[in-house]
Amino acid sequence: MSYSGFGRGSFAPVSGYAAMQGASSSKTFVPGRTLNYHVGNVGKRRAMTEEEYFNDDEEEEQPGVKEAYQKAPDSPGGASDDSDDPLDAFMAGIEKEIVQDTKERISTVEEKLKEKGTRDDIDNEDVQESYFRYMEENPNAGVINEEEDIIDYDSDGNPIMERKKVIDPLPAMDHSEIEYEPFERNFYIPHKEIETLTESQVDELRRKLGIKVSGLSPPRPVSSFGHFGFDEALLGAIRKSEYTQPTPIQAQGIPVALSGRDMIGIAKTGSGKTAAFLWPLLVHIMDQKELQKGEGPIGLILAPTRELSQQIYHEAKKFGKVYNINVVCAYGGGSMWEQSKACQEGAEIIVATPGRLIDLVKKKVTNLQRVTYLVYDEADRMFDMGFEPQVRSIADHVRPDRQTLLFSATFRKRVEKLARDILADPIRVVQGEVGEANEDVTQMVEVLPVGPAKWTWLMRRLVSFTSEGSVLIFVTRKSNSEELAANLKAKDFDLGLLHGDISQSERNEIISAFKKKDFSILVATDVAARGLDIPHIKTVINYDVARDIDTHTHRIGRTGRAGTKGHAYTLITEKDKEFAPHLVRNLEGANQHVPPGLLELAQKCPWFKKNRYKGGKGKVLSSRGLGCKERPGLGSENSTHVQDTMSLSSFRAAANAGPQSDRLSAMKSAFYSQFKSNFVSAVEQDKSASEENYAAAGGTAQLNSSLQPQMIQPSGIGGASRMGLGSEGPAKKKKRSRWD
């Protein structure tokens, strides 16, 4: 054993292995000195070589850091490199088990914490926290997208939502295969007080009423209910409803409807337009024969919503009971079975929404073959709700020579187009400031022969037109525009040409030059009919007629802009006779003069001649009431209809008027009518019964006289003394017998 010194005079034993390890760690190994004893700090230190001196810093151990114990390869217990120590392997397994057990304990503790009861007010999120979480997950919530379509609102401020259910319109119908019975439309005879008015007085009356009227030969307005010519029964119902004076739309609209004319009524809600088409409808119905089993209504009223249809239904029911007229209200959301049952029982008037009416017609619950009076109420709102195809299909299913009335709060382009398609020579009645015709444009139509007459007419007047302002000449085809422009340039007219084959940049240059008045004449096709706003255009010439009346309207609208006056000339020939009827109606609707030549040309069209208003006096109403038959209301004593005393179903009471009626009041009315028409006083009933028995028995001679005491009934308490059969005068006093 060797000792190593730890200071002065001290030493420590050093094992042979450590001595060898220490010796081997040096760079220079001296044989024979490994197992010798080293005396620390005693005597002189061995002098270090140069190499040991410079490597001394690298070989010094860092203070506080102990080297790991390493076994000698040949020492006992030393393991070879090829196999692990069993003890180390055992200890490593214990460590793994400890780690696994620790993980299991941690997971068990977490599960127990989860199983513990929690407080909702602390652990769960409240309303505010859920809102913040929702806003984090949906950052665009509540953000208004300006690119989305703007929701339309009706006149009452209610949003107009799109319908989810798509209702297919009615299929097309060929009316030429159906033979319709003729009917009378004109029931209006002007009152003497109205006939004596002058034209200036009529205009003053219309001005006071605040109405504007346009169309062919409109009747004059009235100022009292007595001017309508209604019978006393209807006037009594009107007075009972607390009507004192006709409203403006009624004062002008009812004479129009009674005359059998088609009408366009522009009026707001609450103007009294419901009565304006209901009262003439009653007169219209009473002139026709009664409905047979399986026949549809005579009057059809279409409304866009169930609320409006119910309102019209109650008004129609109130006035219809005067003549015992049945009314049915059919709308979506109501009972289909009840509405179908009411239609099958027969109704002269049906108030319906377009969708439900189409469903009833498709199910063959009713039909429209007897409809001669068609009303569209709030047509603009129907179009807003997407009912345009349905509205047109219903109009196509009604006979073509019907009377049609269209009411709307506004007169948009789609409503105007519908009016042209389904109305014949309509009279427009506008209450308020809504108008259609531009009074700043004067329209003139020239009927010319086929040939060079158009060119001759243009050459005579073109210079005077250009002296007044710019001139816009419309032609139909591109080739015609180029030909006309070349001919005008040959006559030294400075002009511009505009048609569809010209590029957009060239169009802009031509329009810009025309606005700057670089030239005063512009020849164009229909590409310039829309959107061209040039105030200094004083004259528009339709050298060729437009393809349709819509394009014609846009053409003449290029002049008379910004409050300036303008003139529009239309050149028409024999080849354009199919367009002439549309032009006549357009002029009449705008209160413009219709040349006789144009009217004569339009009469060559069969459809226009057939539907043209022919004028004449109205049908005189019979003295016993409206129409050719009598329809007494409930409780009437002069009813010619024999009622079944044992059945309430025979009464055409309000209980059968539709599923929306007041059933309690209807039953009361039915019982009251039954009692009044079938029950008489007791004395009269006994007398009539005695007479019937007397006639059936063949006289008193054939009766056994012994039976006479049986027919004498005593007068008991509360009873009435009744006479025997065949007796006259008061009953004679007889002896008391066993029969008594």
Side-chain angles (χ1 to χ4, degrees):
M1 172 176 279
S2 64
Y3 296 87
S4 175
F6 294 91
R8 179 178 297 179
S10 63
F11 63 94
V14 179
S15 63
Y17 174 74
M20 289 174 21
Q21 186 178 12
S24 62
S25 62
S26 62
K27 296 297 180 179
T28 306
F29 177 75
V30 181
R33 296 288 302 267
T34 304
L35 298 177
N36 294 338
Y37 292 98
H38 293 272
V39 179
N41 298 329
V42 178
K44 291 183 179 181
R45 293 185 59 186
R46 182 182 61 87
M48 291 186 296
T49 63
E50 183 180 0
E51 185 177 358
E52 290 176 349
Y53 176 80
F54 287 104
N55 294 334
D56 185 43
D57 295 336
E58 296 178 2
E59 294 176 357
E60 289 183 355
E61 296 180 358
Q62 296 181 1
V65 179
K66 297 181 179 180
E67 295 182 359
Y69 172 76
Q70 295 181 359
K71 296 180 180 181
D74 298 332
S75 64
S80 61
D81 296 337
D82 299 332
S83 61
D84 295 335
D85 186 8
L87 181 59
D88 294 340
F90 173 74
M91 295 303 295
I94 293 177
E95 290 180 359
K96 290 181 180 179
E97 290 179 2
I98 293 173
V99 172
Q100 185 68 23
D101 184 64
T102 304
K103 292 182 179 180
E104 292 178 357
R105 288 175 179 273
I106 293 173
S107 61
T108 304
V109 171
E110 291 178 354
E111 291 178 358
K112 289 182 178 181
L113 291 175
K114 291 182 180 179
E115 292 177 357
K116 280 186 177 182
T118 58
R119 290 184 56 181
D120 295 340
D121 57 344
I122 297 177
D123 298 331
N124 293 349
E125 61 182 8
D126 56 9
V127 177
Q128 189 175 10
E129 292 173 344
S130 63
Y131 171 76
F132 290 145
R133 180 179 55 80
Y134 175 79
M135 292 304 297
E136 290 178 0
E137 296 175 356
N138 304 275
N140 295 327
V143 178
I144 299 177
N145 188 3
E146 297 180 355
E147 298 180 357
E148 295 181 357
D149 296 337
I150 300 175
I151 300 176
D152 293 332
Y153 294 87
D154 57 12
S155 58
D156 299 331
N158 301 319
I160 301 174
M161 305 303 295
E162 297 182 358
R163 295 179 297 109
K164 296 181 180 180
K165 180 181 178 182
V166 178
I167 302 174
D168 295 331
L170 294 172
M173 190 174 185
D174 188 6
H175 295 281
S176 61
E177 299 178 355
I178 303 175
E179 185 177 355
Y180 295 104
E181 295 184 4
F183 68 97
E184 182 64 36
R185 307 172 50 141
N186 191 359
F187 303 98
Y188 182 64
I189 299 177
H191 197 271
K192 293 181 179 180
E193 296 179 358
I194 303 300
E195 283 185 329
T196 57
L197 295 178
T198 62
E199 291 297 330
S200 60
Q201 291 175 333
V202 172
D203 294 340
E204 180 66 18
L205 178 59
R206 287 173 177 163
R207 187 185 65 80
K208 289 182 178 179
L209 293 174
I211 57 176
K212 297 179 181 179
V213 183
S214 61
L216 174 63
S217 302
R220 297 178 174 182
V222 301
S223 58
S224 173
F225 286 114
H227 296 158
F228 291 140
F230 293 149
D231 64 348
E232 188 60 32
L234 184 56
L235 287 176
I238 293 173
R239 285 193 295 267
K240 188 177 180 181
S241 301
E242 300 181 354
Y243 284 93
T244 58
Q245 190 177 3
T247 62
I249 193 69
Q250 294 171 358
Q252 181 64 71
I254 291 179
V256 173
L258 286 175
S259 301
R261 302 290 302 279
D262 290 358
M263 184 178 74
I264 302 171
I266 310 298
K268 299 292 184 180
T269 305
S271 58
K273 62 178 182 294
T274 302
F277 61 76
L278 273 181
W279 296 339
L281 174 58
L282 301 178
V283 180
H284 186 93
I285 291 174
M286 293 304 296
D287 187 68
Q288 301 190 27
K289 67 178 183 179
E290 294 192 40
L291 295 179
Q292 303 298 323
K293 185 177 181 180
E295 291 184 339
I298 298 175
L300 177 60
I301 304 173
L302 293 177
T305 60
R306 69 183 69 179
E307 292 79 16
L308 181 58
S309 61
Q310 287 178 335
Q311 178 184 344
I312 298 173
Y313 163 75
H314 289 299
E315 289 292 315
K317 176 187 170 185
K318 178 173 61 176
F319 294 106
K321 69 180 181 182
V322 176
Y323 306 113
N324 200 19
I325 291 177
N326 283 348
V327 186
V328 170
C329 184
Y331 57 83
S335 173
M336 174 68 80
W337 181 86
E338 289 188 0
Q339 295 172 5
S340 302
K341 191 70 174 177
C343 292
Q344 290 173 351
E345 291 177 357
E348 287 85 355
I349 301 175
I350 289 184
V351 184
T353 56
R356 179 50 59 94
L357 180 66
I358 290 176
D359 292 340
L360 294 175
V361 173
K362 287 182 178 180
K363 293 182 178 181
K364 298 184 179 180
V365 174
T366 185
N367 58 79
L368 307 180
Q369 293 188 4
R370 281 209 61 180
V371 175
T372 54
Y373 194 97
L374 179 61
V375 179
Y376 290 101
D377 196 8
E378 295 194 10
D380 54 345
R381 194 171 177 186
M382 289 186 194
F383 281 28
D384 292 338
M385 298 174 68
F387 282 126
E388 182 176 1
Q390 291 78 11
V391 166
R392 290 184 176 274
S393 67
I394 292 172
D396 293 338
H397 261 248
V398 182
R399 57 189 297 174
D401 57 344
R402 64 187 179 269
Q403 181 180 357
T404 308
L405 288 82
L406 189 146
F407 291 88
S408 176
T410 60
F411 202 67
R412 303 175 186 175
K413 295 297 181 181
R414 292 186 297 174
V415 181
E416 182 181 359
K417 191 173 188 305
L418 174 69
R420 283 198 303 268
D421 293 341
I422 69 175
L423 303 183
D425 296 329
I427 294 177
R428 188 189 314 276
V429 180
V430 180
Q431 179 183 359
E433 299 298 329
V434 181
E436 179 224 6
N438 187 356
E439 298 178 355
D440 294 331
V441 179
T442 303
Q443 298 189 52
M444 285 163 282
V445 179
E446 299 287 343
V447 182
L448 302 175
V450 179
K454 286 185 180 182
W455 174 257
T456 305
W457 181 93
L458 182 62
M459 288 294 100
R460 289 178 180 175
R461 293 169 174 80
L462 189 56
V463 176
S464 60
F465 291 160
T466 53
S467 62
E468 297 176 359
S470 299
V471 180
L472 179 58
I473 304 175
F474 281 105
V475 291
T476 304
R477 298 178 181 177
K478 182 198 73 170
S479 58
N480 295 345
S481 65
E482 293 175 345
E483 180 182 358
L484 179 61
N487 294 336
L488 290 175
K489 287 181 179 180
K491 296 293 183 180
D492 296 333
F493 285 102
D494 190 13
L495 54 86
L497 177 61
L498 200 66
H499 55 73
D501 286 349
I502 298 177
S503 63
Q504 187 62 44
S505 59
E506 293 178 350
R507 291 186 198 178
N508 295 337
E509 292 178 0
I510 295 172
I511 294 174
S512 178
F514 188 53
K515 287 182 178 181
K516 294 177 182 178
K517 299 183 180 181
D518 293 345
F519 48 85
S520 58
I521 301 174
L522 178 63
V523 179
T525 58
D526 290 332
V527 297
R530 301 170 186 261
L532 193 63
D533 187 7
I534 302 176
H536 59 78
I537 297 178
K538 300 297 181 182
T539 307
V540 170
I541 301 174
N542 292 315
Y543 194 79
D544 295 335
V545 296
R547 302 179 188 272
D548 51 55
I549 196 65
D550 285 336
T551 306
H552 174 83
T553 304
H554 287 288
R555 281 183 176 185
I556 64 176
R558 298 311 99 199
T559 184
R561 305 181 73 86
T564 60
K565 301 294 182 179
H567 296 81
Y569 295 88
T570 302
L571 309 182
I572 191 170
T573 62
E574 183 74 20
K575 295 181 180 180
D576 307 317
K577 65 178 182 179
E578 291 297 331
F579 185 76
H582 302 285
L583 192 55
V584 169
R585 291 182 176 178
N586 181 268
L587 292 173
E588 292 173 348
N591 283 332
Q592 302 281 349
H593 172 66
V594 180
L598 177 62
L599 187 59
E600 182 181 354
L601 183 62
Q603 292 285 354
K604 295 182 180 181
C605 294
W607 63 271
F608 179 78
K609 186 176 182 180
K610 181 180 178 180
N611 298 329
R612 183 66 172 172
Y613 171 66
K614 300 176 179 59
K617 292 185 178 181
K619 182 178 179 179
V620 180
L621 303 178
S622 60
S623 59
R624 59 175 179 168
L626 291 173
C628 60
K629 66 179 184 301
E630 188 174 5
R631 294 187 182 213
L634 291 176
S636 176
E637 296 180 357
N638 58 350
S639 176
T640 58
H641 183 64
V642 179
Q643 305 284 356
D644 184 6
T645 61
M646 301 302 295
S647 175
L648 290 178
S649 61
S650 61
F651 288 96
R652 306 189 63 193
N656 293 331
Q660 294 75 31
S661 58
D662 187 355
R663 299 186 179 182
L664 180 60
S665 61
M667 292 297 294
K668 288 180 180 179
S669 301
F671 277 113
Y672 175 75
S673 174
Q674 182 185 24
F675 176 80
K676 189 173 182 179
S677 59
N678 294 283
F679 288 88
V680 295
S681 62
V683 177
E684 293 179 358
Q685 185 174 2
D686 290 342
K687 185 176 180 180
S688 60
S690 300
E691 291 176 356
E692 291 177 0
N693 295 335
Y694 175 82
T700 56
Q702 298 180 5
L703 294 176
N704 190 350
S705 59
S706 62
L707 296 178
Q708 290 182 2
Q710 300 179 8
M711 305 305 297
I712 301 174
Q713 300 179 3
S715 57
I717 300 174
S721 177
R722 301 192 179 185
M723 298 177 290
L725 288 175
S727 62
E728 295 180 1
K732 294 181 180 180
K733 186 176 182 181
K734 293 183 179 294
K735 291 182 178 181
R736 182 179 295 277
S737 64
R738 62 189 180 93
W739 295 102
D740 296 335

